[in-house]
Amino acid sequence: MKNLISMRDLSKKEILDLMKLAEKIETGKLKPDMSDKLGALIFYEPSTRTQFSFATAMKRLGGQTVTMRGTGSTSVKKGESFADTLQTIAQYTDIIVIRTAVEGSARYASEVVDIPVVNAGDGANQHPTQALLDLYSIVKTQGTLENLTIGVVGDLKFGRTVHSLVQALSDFNPKLYFASPSHLKMPPYILDDLREKNIEFEEIRDIEKIIDKLDLMYVTRIQKERFTDPEDYEKVKGSYIINKNMLKSVKSNFKVLHPLPRVDEIATDVDDTPYAYYFQQAKNGVFMRQAIFTTLLGSAE
Ligand code: NCD
């Protein structure tokens, strides 16, 4: 692995190796030393968890980070190209973590620079490090990645986390239920991939009808910033709200995951139930991102 751009680039073995490595790091069995490493965190789009957990991961490994948040104070304002900006930052640092609004930009970045590039979200396309921390959270709560029944709820069209997650899960024979407003369905190319891999999936309207069958429910925010017409957002906002009442007869192993930030799609009365796992999920992001840095910077031994 030289870069981490899309879940499609990772084999099942590479995914499982990252799970094992994150576990070793979390339990303290392995303490990689990154004290000679400097990571660049380049965020053209807003971020809380991804940015903080990548910075935390590098610092906990003994390394350091430099961060670009937005373009307001950079030479992008003077007309510098994306490629020149990246080539410059690559002169100073050992690895680039990048988030932009433009699909394909992380792949392009990896072609421009010689150091490893990690995609921290490229528009509505992919968010592979989130998918890996989601899988790690699934292993920790279910004891396995194999043969799980999972409901995926919310904005399946623009949500990059669900695109990466579904691709990642397709190596582990899941049964998937997709629930979204009709204009925000899972893109056809993802569904085609699932058909090709013989993964069972169903597009449904009413999550309550199948909630008792689920091992996991992965809830996402409607991606307001990707709508060109604000009125279209107004029509679909609040279409899926999960509350405590709906969880009365769920399976005992059932967990609710969410990449966060949440707006209103999970009522706060769910937070105190044994089913809420989204904040622990965010914490798992640090261990997984430590594993990703360790793998890409070649310090796994
Ligand atoms: C997600 C993202 O940026 O795609 N957030 C995250 O990284 N945890 C989800 C979202 O913004 O809704």
Side-chain angles (χ1 to χ4, degrees):
M1 241 171 98
K2 180 178 181 290
N3 304 296
L4 177 52
I5 307 298
S6 161
M7 281 314 297
R8 278 179 161 178
D9 302 339
L10 265 71
S11 66
K12 182 169 181 175
K13 180 175 183 307
E14 284 171 320
I15 293 174
L16 291 172
D17 284 349
L18 280 163
M19 298 298 131
K20 281 186 216 140
L21 187 54
E23 202 253 344
K24 278 190 195 159
I25 292 172
E26 178 175 3
T27 54
K29 282 185 204 127
L30 189 78
K31 292 188 193 303
D33 177 12
M34 301 262 160
S35 52
D36 60 343
K37 301 296 184 208
L38 179 60
L41 310 182
I42 305 178
F43 280 74
Y44 285 83
E45 275 198 328
S47 168
T48 302
R49 275 147 293 272
T50 306
Q51 191 191 130
F52 270 74
S53 65
F54 265 114
T56 305
M58 186 54 111
K59 285 172 182 161
R60 294 232 187 261
L61 292 167
Q64 296 183 65
T65 57
V66 283
T67 304
M68 177 176 140
R69 294 182 193 87
T71 55
S73 61
T74 72
S75 288
V76 175
K77 286 281 166 226
K78 300 179 188 169
E80 186 166 43
S81 70
F82 183 65
D84 284 4
T85 302
L86 288 168
Q87 289 203 68
T88 305
I89 293 172
Q91 308 305 313
Y92 308 142
T93 55
D94 301 297
I95 187 163
I96 285 176
V97 176
I98 184 161
R99 167 175 290 187
T100 82
V102 183
E103 297 187 15
S105 57
R107 175 86 60 204
Y108 175 64
S110 73
E111 284 158 9
V112 167
V113 302
D114 294 330
I115 62 175
V117 173
V118 178
N119 182 4
D122 60 328
N125 186 30
Q126 282 272 329
H127 194 346
T129 69
Q130 179 70 45
L132 288 164
L133 80 87
D134 295 339
L135 292 190
Y136 187 53
S137 300
I138 294 173
V139 175
K140 282 179 68 175
T141 58
Q142 309 293 323
T144 179
L145 290 173
E146 301 284 351
N147 307 318
L148 295 167
T149 302
I150 304 178
V152 189
V153 182
D155 186 343
L156 309 185
K157 180 181 181 189
F158 295 123
R160 54 194 172 199
T161 67
V162 288
H163 302 160
S164 293
L165 178 65
V166 165
Q167 286 178 343
L169 283 168
S170 68
D171 280 330
F172 301 96
N173 193 38
K175 157 102 189 147
L176 301 168
Y177 289 99
F178 297 135
S180 68
S182 55
H183 296 302
L184 300 176
K185 284 188 177 170
M186 196 57 91
Y189 75 92
I190 304 246
L191 300 183
D192 288 346
D193 262 15
L194 293 177
R195 283 189 198 100
E196 210 167 285
K197 291 188 165 178
N198 285 322
I199 303 299
E200 219 184 311
F201 70 87
E202 214 176 301
E203 293 183 296
I204 57 165
R205 287 305 295 244
D206 187 358
I207 193 79
E208 280 190 79
K209 279 198 184 139
I210 53 98
I211 202 164
D212 297 351
K213 295 188 195 174
L214 302 179
D215 298 305
L216 294 151
M217 181 158 59
Y218 192 94
V219 186
T220 62
R221 172 181 72 90
I222 308 279
Q223 307 281 297
K224 186 179 180 185
E225 66 277 28
R226 312 264 180 245
F227 284 69
T228 35
D229 184 349
E231 267 183 37
D232 288 343
Y233 173 73
E234 291 303 318
K235 281 184 210 146
V236 290
K237 79 168 189 207
S239 354
Y240 284 92
I241 297 180
I242 310 302
N243 61 44
K244 192 176 173 175
N245 244 337
M246 296 164 70
L247 310 179
K248 279 196 184 118
S249 51
V250 292
K251 290 169 74 172
S252 58
N253 61 317
F254 177 78
K255 291 284 181 257
V256 181
L257 301 181
H258 191 308
L260 302 177
R262 116 178 103 181
V263 182
D264 59 2
E265 55 283 352
I266 302 178
T268 49
D269 67 2
V270 176
D271 296 4
D272 299 330
T273 70
Y275 310 115
Y277 193 74
Y278 21 94
F279 291 110
Q280 293 98 315
Q281 182 186 355
K283 179 171 183 173
N284 291 335
V286 174
F287 308 122
M288 180 45 73
R289 286 169 174 136
Q290 284 178 298
I292 291 165
F293 277 140
T294 302
T295 302
L296 292 175
L297 292 169
S299 309
E301 284 81 41

